[in-house]
Amino acid sequence: MNSDSLDDLAAQLRHGGGAEMIDEWEMTELETEQGRLRRRSLAELWEQAMHRGDQVRVVTSFGRITGVVDFVGNDFATVMGDGVCWELRLTRAVLAPVRSPHGGHTVRGGSRTFLARMAEFESTGEELTVLAGAEEFSGTIAVAATDHLVLVGDRETIIPLTLISAVRRQT
Protein backbone atom coordinates (compact mmCIF):
# COMPACT_ATOMS: atom_id res chain seq x y z
CA MET A 1 0.00 0.00 0.00
CA ASN A 2 1.53 3.33 -0.99
CA SER A 3 1.40 6.53 0.99
CA ASP A 4 -1.38 8.01 -1.19
CA SER A 5 -3.58 5.01 -0.38
CA LEU A 6 -2.91 5.45 3.33
CA ASP A 7 -3.73 9.16 3.09
CA ASP A 8 -6.98 8.33 1.28
CA LEU A 9 -7.87 5.76 3.93
CA ALA A 10 -7.13 8.23 6.75
CA ALA A 11 -9.29 10.87 5.06
CA GLN A 12 -12.16 8.38 4.69
CA LEU A 13 -11.92 7.48 8.38
CA ARG A 14 -11.88 11.14 9.42
CA HIS A 15 -14.90 11.98 7.30
CA GLY A 16 -16.75 8.70 7.71
CA GLY A 17 -16.87 6.42 10.74
CA GLY A 18 -13.96 8.19 12.45
CA ALA A 19 -15.80 11.51 12.44
CA GLU A 20 -18.85 9.83 13.98
CA MET A 21 -16.67 8.36 16.73
CA ILE A 22 -15.16 11.78 17.44
CA ASP A 23 -18.63 13.36 17.54
CA GLU A 24 -19.84 10.67 19.96
CA TRP A 25 -16.78 11.12 22.16
CA GLU A 26 -17.27 14.90 22.28
CA MET A 27 -20.96 14.48 23.13
CA THR A 28 -20.09 12.04 25.93
CA GLU A 29 -17.55 14.50 27.33
CA LEU A 30 -20.12 17.32 27.27
CA GLU A 31 -22.74 15.16 28.99
CA THR A 32 -20.22 14.06 31.63
CA GLU A 33 -19.24 17.67 32.34
CA GLN A 34 -22.90 18.73 32.52
CA GLY A 35 -23.57 15.93 35.01
CA ARG A 36 -20.64 17.07 37.15
CA LEU A 37 -21.95 20.65 37.13
CA ARG A 38 -25.41 19.46 38.18
CA ARG A 39 -24.02 17.64 41.23
CA ARG A 40 -22.29 20.71 42.70
CA SER A 41 -23.84 22.22 45.80
CA LEU A 42 -24.12 25.90 46.69
CA ALA A 43 -21.44 25.41 49.36
CA GLU A 44 -19.07 23.97 46.73
CA LEU A 45 -19.60 26.98 44.46
CA TRP A 46 -18.92 29.39 47.32
CA GLU A 47 -15.81 27.36 48.27
CA GLN A 48 -14.52 27.64 44.70
CA ALA A 49 -14.87 31.42 44.89
CA MET A 50 -12.99 31.37 48.22
CA HIS A 51 -10.19 29.12 46.90
CA ARG A 52 -9.71 31.36 43.86
CA GLY A 53 -9.80 34.55 45.97
CA ASP A 54 -12.63 35.91 43.85
CA GLN A 55 -14.20 39.25 44.55
CA VAL A 56 -17.91 38.47 44.92
CA ARG A 57 -21.01 40.50 44.34
CA VAL A 58 -23.92 39.18 46.35
CA VAL A 59 -27.56 40.09 45.88
CA THR A 60 -29.88 39.54 48.82
CA SER A 61 -33.34 40.67 49.90
CA PHE A 62 -31.73 43.60 51.76
CA GLY A 63 -29.44 44.80 48.97
CA ARG A 64 -26.13 44.18 47.28
CA ILE A 65 -22.75 43.64 48.92
CA THR A 66 -19.24 43.24 47.57
CA GLY A 67 -16.32 41.50 49.22
CA VAL A 68 -14.16 38.39 49.42
CA VAL A 69 -15.31 35.00 50.71
CA ASP A 70 -13.45 34.29 53.95
CA PHE A 71 -15.17 31.10 55.14
CA VAL A 72 -17.76 28.62 53.89
CA GLY A 73 -19.82 26.31 56.07
CA ASN A 74 -22.51 23.83 55.08
CA ASP A 75 -25.27 26.44 54.85
CA PHE A 76 -23.59 29.85 55.18
CA ALA A 77 -20.60 31.84 53.97
CA THR A 78 -18.61 34.64 55.55
CA VAL A 79 -17.90 37.59 53.23
CA MET A 80 -15.52 40.38 54.22
CA GLY A 81 -15.83 43.79 52.62
CA ASP A 82 -15.34 47.46 53.51
CA GLY A 83 -14.85 46.89 57.25
CA VAL A 84 -17.99 44.75 57.48
CA CYS A 85 -18.24 41.01 58.00
CA TRP A 86 -21.32 39.31 56.59
CA GLU A 87 -22.57 35.87 57.61
CA LEU A 88 -24.78 34.99 54.62
CA ARG A 89 -27.28 32.14 54.37
CA LEU A 90 -26.43 30.35 51.11
CA THR A 91 -30.07 29.78 50.15
CA ARG A 92 -30.83 33.49 50.53
CA ALA A 93 -27.96 35.00 48.54
CA VAL A 94 -27.32 35.24 44.80
CA LEU A 95 -23.60 34.80 44.12
CA ALA A 96 -21.82 36.57 41.25
CA PRO A 97 -18.07 35.85 41.47
CA VAL A 98 -15.54 37.96 39.60
CA ARG A 99 -12.61 35.65 38.83
CA SER A 100 -9.35 36.53 40.54
CA PRO A 101 -5.97 35.79 39.01
CA HIS A 102 -4.14 35.62 42.36
CA GLY A 103 -5.82 32.85 44.38
CA GLY A 104 -7.47 32.66 47.76
CA HIS A 105 -7.25 30.20 50.63
CA THR A 106 -8.63 26.89 51.84
CA VAL A 107 -11.34 26.39 54.43
CA ARG A 108 -10.03 27.00 57.92
CA GLY A 109 -11.50 25.68 61.12
CA GLY A 110 -14.80 27.12 62.16
CA SER A 111 -18.46 26.43 62.63
CA ARG A 112 -19.94 24.27 59.90
CA THR A 113 -23.54 25.47 60.26
CA PHE A 114 -25.24 28.84 60.52
CA LEU A 115 -26.76 27.89 63.89
CA ALA A 116 -23.34 26.94 65.28
CA ARG A 117 -21.98 30.28 64.05
CA MET A 118 -24.82 32.08 65.85
CA ALA A 119 -23.96 30.12 69.01
CA GLU A 120 -20.40 31.50 68.72
CA PHE A 121 -21.84 35.03 68.69
CA GLU A 122 -24.01 34.14 71.69
CA SER A 123 -20.89 33.21 73.65
CA THR A 124 -18.84 36.26 72.54
CA GLY A 125 -21.66 38.77 73.11
CA GLU A 126 -20.72 40.72 69.99
CA GLU A 127 -22.96 43.55 68.86
CA LEU A 128 -24.42 42.67 65.48
CA THR A 129 -27.30 43.28 63.11
CA VAL A 130 -29.61 40.48 62.01
CA LEU A 131 -31.29 40.93 58.63
CA ALA A 132 -34.60 39.11 58.41
CA GLY A 133 -36.79 39.85 55.40
CA ALA A 134 -36.62 43.59 54.80
CA GLU A 135 -36.03 44.37 58.50
CA GLU A 136 -32.86 44.86 60.53
CA PHE A 137 -32.57 44.05 64.23
CA SER A 138 -29.49 45.11 66.24
CA GLY A 139 -28.23 43.79 69.53
CA THR A 140 -26.51 40.77 71.02
CA ILE A 141 -27.63 37.16 70.76
CA ALA A 142 -28.93 36.03 74.14
CA VAL A 143 -29.96 32.58 72.88
CA ALA A 144 -29.17 30.69 69.68
CA ALA A 145 -31.91 28.04 69.83
CA THR A 146 -32.62 25.19 67.43
CA ASP A 147 -35.04 27.22 65.30
CA HIS A 148 -34.73 30.86 66.45
CA LEU A 149 -32.52 33.55 67.90
CA VAL A 150 -33.31 35.70 70.89
CA LEU A 151 -31.73 39.06 70.18
CA VAL A 152 -31.44 41.68 72.91
CA GLY A 153 -31.12 45.31 71.83
CA ASP A 154 -33.61 48.08 72.48
CA ARG A 155 -35.97 45.25 73.34
CA GLU A 156 -35.94 41.48 73.23
CA THR A 157 -36.72 40.14 69.73
CA ILE A 158 -37.32 36.53 68.76
CA ILE A 159 -36.32 35.81 65.15
CA PRO A 160 -37.01 32.49 63.39
CA LEU A 161 -33.83 31.16 61.77
CA THR A 162 -35.70 30.49 58.53
CA LEU A 163 -36.31 34.24 58.10
CA ILE A 164 -32.69 35.29 58.58
CA SER A 165 -30.83 36.21 55.39
CA ALA A 166 -27.65 37.50 56.97
CA VAL A 167 -25.88 38.78 60.03
CA ARG A 168 -23.71 41.87 59.76
CA ARG A 169 -20.98 42.98 62.13
CA GLN A 170 -18.16 45.50 62.08
CA THR A 171 -14.59 44.20 61.86
Side-chain angles (χ1 to χ4, degrees):
M1 197 176 259
N2 65 30
S3 104
D4 288 338
S5 297
L6 287 175
D7 289 341
D8 290 342
L9 178 60
Q12 286 176 1
L13 287 174
R14 277 193 305 273
H15 299 297
E20 288 177 22
M21 288 174 51
I22 290 171
D23 289 345
E24 285 180 28
W25 177 79
E26 288 174 350
M27 184 57 74
T28 300
E29 287 294 311
L30 288 172
E31 289 171 355
T32 300
E33 177 63 9
Q34 190 68 23
R36 186 189 67 77
L37 294 173
R38 287 180 181 142
R39 286 188 299 277
R40 292 185 304 177
S41 69
L42 282 172
E44 289 170 325
L45 294 170
W46 281 83
E47 281 181 359
Q48 286 176 356
M50 179 184 67
H51 294 314
R52 288 189 304 254
D54 293 347
Q55 183 81 7
V56 294
R57 288 178 289 138
V58 182
V59 180
T60 66
S61 60
F62 55 85
R64 292 177 165 86
I65 63 169
T66 302
V68 176
V69 181
D70 186 58
F71 181 80
V72 179
N74 298 340
D75 60 351
F76 78 101
T78 303
V79 174
M80 306 294 285
D82 295 328
V84 177
C85 179
W86 298 89
E87 307 294 344
L88 301 166
R89 303 287 297 272
L90 299 183
T91 58
R92 297 191 169 266
V94 177
L95 173 66
V98 178
R99 297 284 169 114
S100 172
H102 52 75
H105 62 274
T106 59
V107 175
R108 298 185 285 269
S111 296
R112 298 305 305 159
T113 66
F114 184 74
L115 179 58
R117 186 74 171 127
M118 296 304 102
E120 284 180 26
F121 294 139
E122 175 189 331
S123 66
T124 64
E126 289 182 62
E127 185 75 24
L128 42 80
T129 301
V130 176
L131 295 101
E135 298 295 322
E136 295 185 9
F137 305 92
S138 295
T140 59
I141 297 175
V143 178
T146 58
D147 61 355
H148 66 278
L149 296 180
V150 177
L151 192 71
V152 178
D154 296 344
R155 65 180 101 83
E156 182 178 274
T157 307
I158 299 167
I159 308 166
L161 288 175
T162 56
L163 292 181
I164 299 172
S165 298
V167 172
R168 179 182 69 221
R169 59 193 172 89
Q170 301 299 315
T171 55

